[in-house]
Amino acid sequence: MSWLINDALKRLVDFVKLEVSTEELQKPPYESYAQIIQELNNRLSVGGNVLDKELVESTRAMIRETLAALIRRRIEKLMKSYELGREIPEGSLFVEERRFFMPLLELRVLETPKGEARELAIVSFRKGFPVLYSVRLVALGPFSQFDVAAIPRSDAGELQRRGIIDIVR
C-alpha cells in the first residue's frame, strides 16, 4: 500500500520540481488540481484501511505544501506571461487555471488615440446592465455581472454612483 502512496507522491513531486526549476509553463500530467487531490486522497484510504493517523496527517501536510508551491509557481509564470502579452498555450493549463485565466486572455483593449485613452475608464460590472448609449452616442453592451469593459469616464462615474460598476482604472 505504501508503494501506491509513494508512486503518486513521486509523480507530483517530480512535476513540481520541473515546474519550479524552469521559466516556461510545463504541460501538467494531470487534468486538474482536483484530480491530483482525489488521486492522493484515494491512495491514502485504499480499501478502507486505516493508516497510522500521524502518518496520514504528515503526508497530507506534505501534499498541501507541495501543492501550494506548485500553484504559487504556476500563477507567477501565468501572470508574468499575461503581463508581457505572451501567448499561454491552453494545453499547458489545469482546468482550474483555464477557468481563471481564459477570460483575462480574451480581454482585448482596442487601440485608441492617446488623448482618447485618458477619457476611458476600465470598469467591472457588479450586476448585469442593458445596452448603454455613451456620451458619444455609441452603443455599448449589454453587460453581464463581472464583465470588464472600457467605457467613457463620464458614463463610468454615473454608473459607479448608481452601484452598477466598480472602476478598475
Side-chain angles (χ1 to χ4, degrees), residues 16-113:
V16 173
K17 284 180 183 176
L18 179 64
E19 195 70 66
V20 168
S21 67
T22 61
E23 290 302 313
E24 295 299 316
L25 197 63
Q26 301 301 306
K27 182 171 175 35
Y30 308 92
E31 286 293 313
S32 68
Y33 291 110
Q35 180 189 12
I36 297 170
I37 293 166
Q38 183 178 11
E39 178 181 329
L40 291 167
N41 277 335
N42 288 344
R43 303 246 173 135
L44 283 172
S45 60
V46 167
N49 292 338
V50 177
L51 295 174
D52 180 4
K53 287 189 183 239
E54 285 183 36
L55 174 62
V56 170
E57 283 310 308
S58 67
T59 303
R60 284 194 172 129
M62 186 185 84
I63 291 168
R64 274 192 300 275
E65 290 172 16
T66 304
L67 284 173
L70 175 65
I71 292 167
R72 190 175 306 110
R73 180 64 174 147
R74 288 183 63 85
I75 288 175
E76 287 171 0
K77 288 180 178 183
L78 287 165
M79 289 310 299
K80 184 176 181 181
S81 293
Y82 175 72
E83 289 169 351
L84 295 174
R86 291 185 193 148
E87 184 177 333
I88 299 173
E90 201 172 327
S92 295
L93 298 174
F94 282 102
V95 169
E96 296 89 347
E97 294 166 345
R98 248 184 250 122
R99 288 179 61 202
F100 181 78
F101 281 99
M102 293 318 285
L104 291 176
L105 297 176
E106 292 170 2
L107 175 64
R108 303 282 190 254
V109 178
L110 299 175
E111 292 287 328
T112 57

Side-chain angles (χ1 to χ4, degrees), residues 119-121 134-136 151-159 161:
E119 297 174 15
L120 296 177
S134 76
V135 292
R136 295 184 204 135
I151 65 173
R153 284 203 181 275
S154 56
D155 293 322
E158 176 60 28
L159 292 173
R161 280 189 287 284

